[in-house]
Amino acid sequence: MVTDTDGYIHLIQYLTEHLGLFEASENMADNDHTIMELFEEQLAAQIIMVCGQNPRLTFSERNMVIREIDAIVYDLEEILAKVADHKASVEQSIFISDFSGLIKNLFDQQIALLTK
């Protein structure tokens, strides 16, 4: 659905281009949440919004969305393995929020194609 699109590949490239933002994360912590906790919370909030905005999604389609989010979280864990448990800085929190919004946009696009 999403993880096999060019848009997702571009987002992963965007993340890898900004890995420097996360490298010194342990020294800049301004948050009680870890980097992965923030990604998980932000993605969960975005997916709740996606499902809420698309009440016509079938049970099967909702499950597909959840499986896609699981795959995205897995990818993020792989990419951010060295820093996933570091406390997040404000700058990292902003990046994570923006990145999660971009993921939501991918879902919005794919769902629009599904429901045509």
Side-chain angles (χ1 to χ4, degrees):
M1 174 182 223
V2 169
T3 55
D4 59 354
T5 65
D6 288 340
Y8 181 71
I9 292 167
H10 291 297
L11 278 181
I12 294 300
Q13 290 171 340
Y14 175 71
L15 174 61
T16 57
E17 290 168 4
H18 289 85
L19 282 179
L21 174 66
F22 296 97
E23 288 177 355
S25 61
E26 199 63 47
N27 301 328
M28 307 181 310
D30 293 330
N31 198 316
D32 287 335
H33 297 297
T34 67
I35 290 167
M36 275 313 298
E37 286 172 342
L38 282 177
F39 266 112
E40 290 169 354
E41 288 173 11
Q42 287 291 321
L43 289 171
Q46 295 296 341
I47 291 311
I48 289 170
M49 233 187 300
V50 164
C51 290
Q53 291 170 342
N54 297 283
R56 288 197 240 171
L57 288 176
T58 66
F59 180 76
S60 176
E61 291 166 337
R62 288 177 190 270
N63 279 338
M64 184 175 21
V65 168
I66 292 168
R67 283 191 305 273
E68 288 282 306
I69 283 296
D70 286 344
I72 291 168
V73 169
Y74 178 80
D75 289 345
L76 293 173
E77 288 171 343
E78 291 291 310
I79 294 166
L80 299 167
K82 292 180 183 177
V83 298
D85 293 329
H86 293 185
K87 300 292 182 188
S89 70
V90 171
E91 188 176 31
Q92 292 164 342
S93 297
I94 291 168
F95 179 90
I96 291 167
S97 178
D98 291 345
F99 186 85
S100 298
L102 294 171
I103 293 288
K104 180 190 179 291
N105 289 346
L106 286 177
F107 277 98
D108 289 339
Q109 292 170 0
Q110 292 302 310
I111 289 171
L113 294 173
L114 271 180
T115 58
K116 278 188 174 179

